[in-house]
Each structure stands twice: as C-alpha cells, then as structure tokens.
C-alpha cells in the first residue's frame, strides 16, 4: 500500500509538472487546454495517492464543468477566427467576443483556484490537506510549483488571445449572435460559479478541520 501510494504520488507530481511546463511553450489553443486537463488529472491522482478519494472525485466534477466551458469557448474562438487554432494568430479578441472573453476568463480563473469560484473549493482543499501530510519538502515544493505553472499558462493564454494585438487573417466572424453557441456557455459559466460551494455542501457531511501554520495556509493563494 505504502509503495503504491508513493509511486502514484511521484508519477502524479511529475505529470503535473511536465504538462504545466509543456503548456507554457505550446501555441495550439486546444493542446494548451488538453495539457491543462492532464495537469488537473495529475492533481486528482495526487489526491488519490494521499488517500483522499472523495476529494479527487469532487475535483473531477468541478473541473469537468469549467473545462467543458473552456473547450466550448475555445471552439467559438476557433470558429470566429477563420478556423485557426494557433494562438499566435489571435489577439485583441475581447473586442469581438466580449461574452466569450468573460466566460473563458471565468473558467481560467476557476482553474487557477481563485477564491470563491468552483475550482477553489476542490483544489484548495486538496492542497491544504496535502500540506498536512508528511511526505517531505520536495513534494510540497513541487506541488506549489505546479500550481504556479497552472496560473502561468492560463495568464499566457488569456494574454495572447484577448489582450495583445490581433495578428490573424482579415476576416473575423462574430458568433455571439448565435444562441445555440452562446446558450451552453452562459449556463456553464453560472455552473462554474456556483458548483463549487453546492457540491462541497452536498458531498462532505461535516466541515473539515485543517490545522496549518500561516505561511502554508497562504501559500496556495500566493502561488
């Protein structure tokens, strides 16, 4: 049992690290989101290796909701910018896709674990409970590095897609008038706002007591 846990722990942390690093250097929009899914799967396996099975499933559910939102927003952007997936040919899209920009940033912030969005409730719990385990400093440091990598590739994705100068082709089709595209995105945005607290109230019968020193308590938010 112990060796299996240790092996799974090592593999999951390495998966989180590898996919985070690769996502920072990737230019394909869908690959970035897929790699971020891989790093979150690493997070779930990390949780399982610590014996937190319910928590891993909770993270799976919240992550599924906002990752579906991310993929839908990515699809709308790809459709709008004449079917290119290369984020180097994006930029300044917040002007043409205001609603998709808001929803995609919601999903990204939720992925980063910004407080009171869905991802925060599951991710922060995993991180804080992992801080209570005595696996050693290396694993803790790797976990926090992987958390900061998540933030890095999310910010990079947002910057290259919505903030920088537009580098793409001459035609942008505005998809936001199409309700069959926008409807699911808006619904999922609401869900990724409220699913965290609702699922945590439903799935955990009692509040978990987490006893940590202040710097570890703040570490997740700082990273």
């Amino acid at each position: 049992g112990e060796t299996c846990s240790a092996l799974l722990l090592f593999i999951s942390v390495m998966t989180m690290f590898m996919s985070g690093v690769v996502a920072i250097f990737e230019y394909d929009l869908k690959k970035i989101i897929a790699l971020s899914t891989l790093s979150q799967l690493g997070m779930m396996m990390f949780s399982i290796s610590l014996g937190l099975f319910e928590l891993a499933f909770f993270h799976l559910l919240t992550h599924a909701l906002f990752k579906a939102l991310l993929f839908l927003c990515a699809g709308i952007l790809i459709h709008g910018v004449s079917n290119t997936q290369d984020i180097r040919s994006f930029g300044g899209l917040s002007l043409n896709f205001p609603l998709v920009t808001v929803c995609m940033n919601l999903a990204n912030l939720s992925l980063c674990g910004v407080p009171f969005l869905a991802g925060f409730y599951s991710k922060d719990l995993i991180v804080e409970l992992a801080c209570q385990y005595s696996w050693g400093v290396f694993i803790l440091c790797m976990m926090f590095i992987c958390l900061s990598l998540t933030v890095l590739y999310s910010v990079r994705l947002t910057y290259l897609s919505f903030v920088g100068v537009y580098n793409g082709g001459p035609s942008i089709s505005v998809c936001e008038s199409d309700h069959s595209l926008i409807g699911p995105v808006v619904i999922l945005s609401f869900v990724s706002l409220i699913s965290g607290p609702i699922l945590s109230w439903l799935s955990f019968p009692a509040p978990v007591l987490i006893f940590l020193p202040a710097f570890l308590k703040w570490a997740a938010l700082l990273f």
Side-chain angles (χ1 to χ4, degrees), residues 66-87:
F66 59 74
K67 191 48 67 83
L69 175 58
L70 264 177
F71 267 116
L72 279 176
C73 291
I76 293 176
L77 293 183
I78 290 170
H79 182 60
V81 190
S82 59
N83 302 327
T84 174
Q85 292 182 27
D86 196 326
I87 56 173

Side-chain angles (χ1 to χ4, degrees), residues 24-70:
I24 289 178
F25 294 103
E26 185 55 66
Y27 283 108
D28 188 319
L29 179 61
K30 289 203 289 192
K31 273 189 191 173
I32 293 174
I33 300 177
L35 283 163
S36 109
T37 308
L38 184 59
S39 85
Q40 294 312 303
L41 285 171
M43 194 79 188
M44 292 163 211
M45 286 296 154
F46 179 68
S47 167
I48 288 175
S49 71
L50 298 176
L52 310 167
F53 305 109
E54 289 179 2
L55 208 47
F57 186 61
F58 175 40
H59 189 52
L60 177 82
L61 291 180
T62 53
H63 173 253
L65 292 167
F66 59 74
K67 191 48 67 83
L69 175 58
L70 264 177

Side-chain angles (χ1 to χ4, degrees), residues 68-69 72-73 76 98-100 102-104 106 176 178-194:
L69 175 58
L72 279 176
C73 291
I76 293 176
L99 187 65
V100 172
V102 169
C103 295
M104 191 153 174
L106 247 178
E176 295 209 344
D178 188 351
H179 295 299
S180 61
L181 274 181
I182 292 302
V185 167
V186 172
I187 293 168
L188 273 173
S189 300
F190 277 114
V191 169
S192 69
L193 273 173
I194 61 174

Side-chain angles (χ1 to χ4, degrees), residues 156-170:
R156 170 178 175 268
L157 179 63
T158 302
Y159 179 78
L160 286 176
S161 302
F162 301 122
V163 182
V165 185
Y166 177 65
N167 295 320

